[in-house]
Coordinates of all heavy atoms in Angstrom, one line a residue:
V59 N 3.8 4.3 8.8 CA 4.4 3.6 7.9 C 3.7 3.3 6.6 O 2.5 3.2 6.6 CB 4.8 2.1 8.5 CG1 5.6 1.3 7.3 CG2 5.5 2.2 9.8
V60 N 4.3 3.4 5.5 CA 3.8 3.2 4.2 C 4.5 2.0 3.5 O 5.7 2.0 3.3 CB 3.8 4.4 3.2 CG1 3.0 4.1 1.9 CG2 3.1 5.6 3.9
I61 N 3.7 1.0 3.1 CA 4.2 -0.1 2.3 C 3.5 0.1 0.9 O 2.3 0.1 0.8 CB 4.0 -1.5 2.9 CG1 4.7 -1.6 4.3 CG2 4.4 -2.6 1.9 CD1 4.4 -3.0 4.9
N92 N 7.0 -15.0 1.1 CA 8.3 -14.4 1.2 C 8.5 -13.3 2.2 O 9.4 -13.2 3.0 CB 8.9 -13.9 -0.1 CG 9.2 -15.2 -1.1 OD1 9.5 -16.3 -0.5 ND2 9.3 -14.9 -2.3
I93 N 7.5 -12.5 2.3 CA 7.5 -11.5 3.4 C 7.4 -12.1 4.8 O 8.2 -11.7 5.7 CB 6.3 -10.5 3.2 CG1 6.3 -9.8 2.0 CG2 6.0 -9.6 4.4 CD1 5.1 -9.0 1.5
F94 N 6.6 -13.1 4.9 CA 6.5 -13.8 6.2 C 7.8 -14.6 6.5 O 8.2 -14.7 7.7 CB 5.3 -14.8 6.2 CG 4.0 -14.2 6.3 CD1 2.8 -14.9 6.2 CD2 3.9 -12.7 6.5 CE1 1.6 -14.2 6.3 CE2 2.6 -12.1 6.5 CZ 1.5 -13.0 6.4
K95 N 8.6 -15.0 5.4 CA 9.8 -15.6 5.7 C 10.8 -14.7 6.3 O 11.7 -15.0 7.2 CB 10.4 -16.4 4.5 CG 9.7 -17.6 4.0 CD 10.2 -18.0 2.6 CE 9.5 -19.3 2.0 NZ 9.9 -19.8 0.8
E96 N 10.9 -13.4 5.6 CA 11.8 -12.4 6.1 C 11.4 -12.0 7.5 O 12.3 -11.7 8.4 CB 11.7 -11.3 5.1 CG 12.7 -10.2 5.4 CD 14.1 -10.5 5.6 OE1 14.6 -11.6 5.2 OE2 14.9 -9.7 6.1
L97 N 10.0 -11.9 7.9 CA 9.6 -11.5 9.1 C 10.2 -12.6 10.2 O 10.6 -12.1 11.2 CB 8.1 -11.6 9.1 CG 7.4 -11.0 10.4 CD1 7.7 -9.6 10.6 CD2 5.9 -11.2 10.1
I98 N 10.2 -13.7 9.9 CA 10.7 -14.8 10.9 C 12.3 -14.6 11.0 O 12.8 -14.5 12.1 CB 10.5 -16.3 10.3 CG1 9.0 -16.5 10.4 CG2 11.3 -17.3 11.2 CD1 8.6 -17.9 9.7
N99 N 13.0 -14.4 9.8 CA 14.3 -14.3 9.9 C 14.8 -13.0 10.4 O 15.9 -12.9 11.1 CB 15.0 -14.4 8.4 CG 14.8 -15.8 7.8 OD1 14.7 -16.7 8.5 ND2 14.8 -15.8 6.5
D100 N 14.0 -11.9 10.4 CA 14.4 -10.6 10.8 C 14.1 -10.5 12.4 O 15.1 -10.2 13.1 CB 13.6 -9.5 10.1 CG 14.0 -8.1 10.4 OD1 14.9 -7.9 11.2 OD2 13.4 -7.2 9.8
I101 N 12.9 -10.7 12.8 CA 12.6 -10.5 14.2 C 11.9 -11.7 14.8 O 11.6 -11.7 16.0 CB 11.6 -9.3 14.4 CG1 10.4 -9.5 13.5 CG2 12.4 -8.1 14.0 CD1 9.3 -8.3 13.7
W113 N -1.9 -4.9 10.8 CA -0.9 -3.9 10.4 C -1.6 -2.5 10.1 O -1.1 -1.5 10.5 CB -0.2 -4.3 9.1 CG 0.8 -5.5 9.5 CD1 0.9 -6.1 10.7 CD2 1.7 -6.0 8.6 NE1 1.9 -7.3 10.5 CE2 2.4 -7.1 9.3 CE3 2.1 -5.8 7.3 CZ2 3.4 -7.9 8.7 CZ3 3.1 -6.6 6.6 CH2 3.7 -7.6 7.5
I118 N -0.2 1.3 9.5 CA 0.6 1.1 8.3 C -0.4 1.1 7.2 O -1.3 0.5 7.0 CB 1.2 -0.4 8.3 CG1 2.1 -0.6 9.6 CG2 2.1 -0.7 7.1 CD1 2.7 -2.0 9.7
V159 N 7.8 6.1 7.9 CA 8.7 5.1 7.3 C 8.1 4.7 5.9 O 7.0 4.3 5.9 CB 9.0 3.9 8.0 CG1 9.9 2.8 7.4 CG2 9.6 4.2 9.5
F160 N 8.8 4.8 4.8 CA 8.3 4.4 3.6 C 9.1 3.2 3.1 O 10.3 3.2 3.0 CB 8.5 5.5 2.5 CG 7.6 6.7 2.7 CD1 8.0 7.7 3.4 CD2 6.4 6.8 1.9 CE1 7.1 8.8 3.6 CE2 5.6 7.8 2.1 CZ 5.9 8.9 2.9
I161 N 8.4 2.1 2.9 CA 9.0 0.7 2.5 C 8.8 0.5 1.1 O 7.6 0.3 0.7 CB 8.5 -0.3 3.4 CG1 8.8 -0.2 4.9 CG2 9.1 -1.7 3.0 CD1 8.3 -1.3 6.0
L162 N 9.8 0.6 0.3 CA 9.7 0.5 -1.1 C 10.4 -0.8 -1.6 O 11.6 -0.9 -1.6 CB 10.4 1.6 -1.8 CG 10.0 3.0 -1.3 CD1 10.7 4.2 -2.1 CD2 8.4 3.3 -1.5
W163 N 9.5 -1.8 -2.0 CA 10.1 -3.1 -2.5 C 10.0 -3.1 -4.0 O 8.9 -3.1 -4.6 CB 9.3 -4.2 -1.9 CG 9.4 -4.4 -0.4 CD1 10.6 -4.1 0.3 CD2 8.4 -4.9 0.5 NE1 10.5 -4.4 1.6 CE2 9.2 -5.0 1.9 CE3 7.2 -5.3 0.6 CZ2 8.6 -5.3 2.9 CZ3 6.7 -5.7 1.6 CH2 7.3 -5.7 2.9
H180 N 12.1 8.4 6.6 CA 13.0 7.2 6.5 C 12.6 6.3 5.4 O 11.3 5.9 5.4 CB 13.1 6.5 7.9 CG 14.1 5.5 7.8 ND1 15.5 5.8 7.5 CD2 14.1 4.1 8.1 CE1 16.1 4.6 7.6 NE2 15.3 3.6 7.9
I181 N 13.4 6.0 4.5 CA 13.0 5.2 3.4 C 13.9 3.9 3.4 O 15.0 3.9 3.6 CB 13.3 6.0 2.0 CG1 12.5 7.3 1.9 CG2 12.9 5.0 0.8 CD1 12.9 8.0 0.6
I182 N 13.1 2.9 3.3 CA 13.7 1.5 3.3 C 13.5 0.9 1.9 O 12.4 0.8 1.5 CB 13.1 0.5 4.4 CG1 13.4 1.1 5.7 CG2 13.7 -0.8 4.2 CD1 12.8 0.5 6.9
I183 N 14.7 0.5 1.3 CA 14.6 0.1 -0.1 C 15.2 -1.3 -0.2 O 16.1 -1.7 0.4 CB 15.3 1.0 -1.0 CG1 14.5 2.3 -1.3 CG2 15.6 0.4 -2.4 CD1 15.3 3.4 -2.0
S184 N 14.5 -2.2 -1.0 CA 15.1 -3.5 -1.4 C 14.5 -4.0 -2.6 O 13.5 -3.5 -3.0 CB 14.9 -4.4 -0.1 OG 13.6 -5.1 -0.2
P185 N 15.0 -5.1 -3.1 CA 14.3 -5.8 -4.3 C 12.8 -6.3 -3.7 O 12.6 -6.3 -2.5 CB 15.3 -7.0 -4.5 CG 16.5 -6.6 -4.1 CD 16.3 -5.8 -2.9
H186 N 12.0 -6.6 -4.6 CA 10.6 -7.1 -4.5 C 10.6 -8.4 -3.8 O 11.5 -9.3 -4.0 CB 9.9 -7.1 -5.7 CG 8.4 -7.1 -5.5 ND1 7.7 -8.2 -5.3 CD2 7.4 -6.0 -5.6 CE1 6.3 -8.0 -5.2 NE2 6.2 -6.6 -5.3
P187 N 9.7 -8.7 -3.0 CA 9.6 -10.1 -2.3 C 9.0 -11.2 -3.3 O 8.9 -12.3 -2.7 CB 8.6 -9.8 -1.2 CG 7.8 -8.7 -1.5 CD 8.7 -7.8 -2.2
G195 N 18.2 -9.8 -2.8 CA 18.4 -8.8 -1.8 C 17.2 -8.5 -0.8 O 17.4 -7.8 0.1
F196 N 16.0 -9.0 -1.2 CA 14.9 -8.9 -0.2 C 15.1 -9.7 1.1 O 15.0 -9.1 2.2 CB 13.6 -9.3 -0.8 CG 12.4 -9.3 0.2 CD1 12.0 -8.0 0.6 CD2 12.0 -10.5 0.7 CE1 10.9 -8.0 1.5 CE2 11.0 -10.4 1.5 CZ 10.4 -9.3 2.1
F197 N 15.5 -10.9 0.9 CA 15.9 -11.8 2.0 C 17.1 -11.2 2.7 O 18.2 -11.0 2.1 CB 16.0 -13.3 1.7 CG 14.8 -13.9 1.3 CD1 14.8 -14.8 0.1 CD2 13.7 -13.8 2.1 CE1 13.6 -15.4 -0.2 CE2 12.5 -14.5 1.7 CZ 12.5 -15.3 0.6
G198 N 17.0 -10.9 4.0 CA 18.2 -10.2 4.6 C 18.1 -8.7 4.7 O 19.0 -8.2 5.3
S199 N 17.1 -8.1 4.1 CA 17.0 -6.7 4.1 C 16.6 -6.1 5.4 O 16.6 -4.9 5.7 CB 16.1 -6.2 3.0 OG 14.8 -6.7 3.1
R200 N 15.9 -7.0 6.3 CA 15.5 -6.6 7.7 C 14.6 -5.4 7.6 O 14.7 -4.4 8.6 CB 16.7 -6.5 8.5 CG 17.5 -7.8 8.6 CD 18.7 -7.5 9.5 NE 18.4 -7.2 10.8 CZ 18.7 -6.1 11.4 NH1 19.3 -5.1 10.9 NH2 18.3 -5.9 12.8
P201 N 13.6 -5.3 6.9 CA 12.7 -4.1 6.9 C 11.9 -4.0 8.2 O 11.6 -2.7 8.6 CB 11.8 -4.2 5.7 CG 11.7 -5.7 5.6 CD 12.9 -6.3 5.9
F202 N 11.6 -5.0 8.8 CA 10.7 -4.9 10.1 C 11.4 -4.4 11.3 O 10.9 -3.5 11.9 CB 10.0 -6.2 10.4 CG 9.4 -7.0 9.2 CD1 10.2 -7.9 8.4 CD2 8.3 -6.3 8.6 CE1 9.6 -8.4 7.2 CE2 7.7 -6.9 7.5 CZ 8.3 -7.9 6.8
S203 N 12.7 -4.8 11.4 CA 13.5 -4.4 12.5 C 13.9 -2.9 12.3 O 14.0 -2.1 13.3 CB 14.7 -5.3 12.9 OG 15.5 -5.4 11.8
K204 N 14.3 -2.6 11.0 CA 14.7 -1.2 10.7 C 13.6 -0.3 10.9 O 13.9 0.9 11.3 CB 15.1 -1.2 9.2 CG 16.5 -2.0 9.0 CD 16.9 -2.0 7.5 CE 18.3 -2.6 7.2 NZ 18.6 -2.7 5.7
T205 N 12.4 -0.7 10.6 CA 11.3 0.3 10.8 C 11.1 0.5 12.2 O 11.0 1.7 12.6 CB 10.0 -0.4 10.2 OG1 10.0 -0.5 8.8 CG2 8.7 0.4 10.6
N206 N 11.1 -0.5 13.0 CA 10.9 -0.4 14.5 C 12.1 0.5 15.2 O 11.9 1.2 16.0 CB 10.7 -1.7 15.2 CG 9.3 -2.1 15.1 OD1 8.4 -1.3 14.7 ND2 9.0 -3.3 15.5
E207 N 13.3 0.2 14.6 CA 14.5 1.0 15.2 C 14.3 2.5 15.0 O 14.5 3.3 15.7 CB 15.8 0.6 14.5 CG 16.3 -0.9 15.1 CD 17.3 -1.5 14.1 OE1 17.8 -0.7 13.3 OE2 17.5 -2.6 14.3
Y208 N 13.8 2.8 13.7 CA 13.6 4.2 13.4 C 12.5 4.9 14.2 O 12.6 5.9 14.8 CB 13.3 4.4 11.9 CG 12.9 5.8 11.5 CD1 14.0 6.8 11.3 CD2 11.7 6.3 11.3 CE1 13.7 8.1 11.0 CE2 11.4 7.5 11.0 CZ 12.4 8.5 10.8 OH 12.0 9.9 10.6
L209 N 11.4 4.1 14.3 CA 10.3 4.6 15.1 C 10.7 4.8 16.6 O 10.3 5.8 17.2 CB 8.9 3.7 15.0 CG 8.4 3.5 13.6 CD1 7.2 2.4 13.7 CD2 7.8 4.9 13.2
I217 N 5.8 -1.1 15.8 CA 4.8 -2.0 15.2 C 4.9 -3.4 15.8 O 6.0 -3.9 15.9 CB 5.0 -2.1 13.6 CG1 5.0 -0.6 13.0 CG2 4.0 -2.9 13.0 CD1 3.7 0.2 13.3
W219 N 4.6 -6.6 14.5 CA 4.5 -7.2 13.2 C 3.7 -8.6 13.3 O 3.2 -9.2 12.4 CB 5.8 -7.4 12.6 CG 6.5 -6.0 12.4 CD1 7.5 -5.5 13.1 CD2 6.2 -5.2 11.2 NE1 7.8 -4.2 12.5 CE2 7.1 -4.1 11.4 CE3 5.3 -5.2 10.1 CZ2 7.1 -3.0 10.4 CZ3 5.3 -4.2 9.3 CH2 6.2 -3.2 9.5

Side-chain angles (χ1 to χ4, degrees):
V59 180
V60 180
I61 298 178
N92 287 335
I93 290 168
F94 288 173
K95 287 178 184 176
E96 179 61 15
L97 187 59
I98 295 170
N99 293 334
D100 185 4
I101 56 174
W113 288 6
I118 299 175
V159 179
F160 289 86
I161 300 176
L162 309 180
W163 288 329
H180 186 56
I181 302 175
I182 296 173
I183 287 173
S184 81
H186 197 276
F196 173 74
F197 291 133
S199 62
R200 302 181 59 243
F202 310 104
S203 60
K204 287 178 180 177
T205 295
N206 279 350
E207 285 166 12
Y208 177 79
L209 293 175
I217 304 297
W219 299 101

